[in-house]
Amino acid sequence: MAIKKQYLKSKPVCKVTFSVPAEEAKTVAVVGDFNKWNPKKSSLKKLKNGTFKGTFDLPVENSYEFRYLIDGNYTNDAEADRFQWNDYAGAENAVLEV
């Protein structure tokens, strides 16, 4: 899994690209604070090499809890900026700092 951040000079936005190698998966979405944990707003597109990829514009100077939803199962990104326990989810979420 990989996270790429590209900060825009023209506005306070960071283009964040999420890449998830999941050849066997049918669906992958990234859900988090930035999309109200709604997988319908954050589906990643499957590439020919089996990697799912998507880019989202996120406001800068924020931190966002997130997880991947791979065929209905939640997974954290090992390359996240940090991890934080979430009492509501009863699990540790990945955190993205932009």
Side-chain angles (χ1 to χ4, degrees), residues 62-75:
N62 288 299
S63 62
Y64 303 96
E65 288 187 37
F66 76 98
R67 296 185 93 182
Y68 295 115
L69 187 58
I70 303 173
D71 288 343
N73 298 309
Y74 288 100
T75 304

Side-chain angles (χ1 to χ4, degrees), residues 45-91:
K45 183 179 178 184
K46 189 170 190 175
L47 306 178
K48 290 180 183 178
N49 67 2
T51 298
F52 285 80
K53 196 171 194 177
T55 302
F56 302 90
D57 291 351
L58 302 180
V60 297
E61 297 182 12
N62 288 299
S63 62
Y64 303 96
E65 288 187 37
F66 76 98
R67 296 185 93 182
Y68 295 115
L69 187 58
I70 303 173
D71 288 343
N73 298 309
Y74 288 100
T75 304
N76 279 332
D77 191 322
E79 295 184 29
D81 294 323
R82 62 185 173 88
F83 299 91
Q84 179 172 308
W85 180 259
N86 183 299
D87 285 333
Y88 181 77

Side-chain angles (χ1 to χ4, degrees), residues 17-26 28 44-54:
T17 302
F18 297 93
S19 299
V20 181
E23 288 183 42
E24 305 299 318
K26 290 181 175 36
V28 176
L44 302 182
K45 183 179 178 184
K46 189 170 190 175
L47 306 178
K48 290 180 183 178
N49 67 2
T51 298
F52 285 80
K53 196 171 194 177

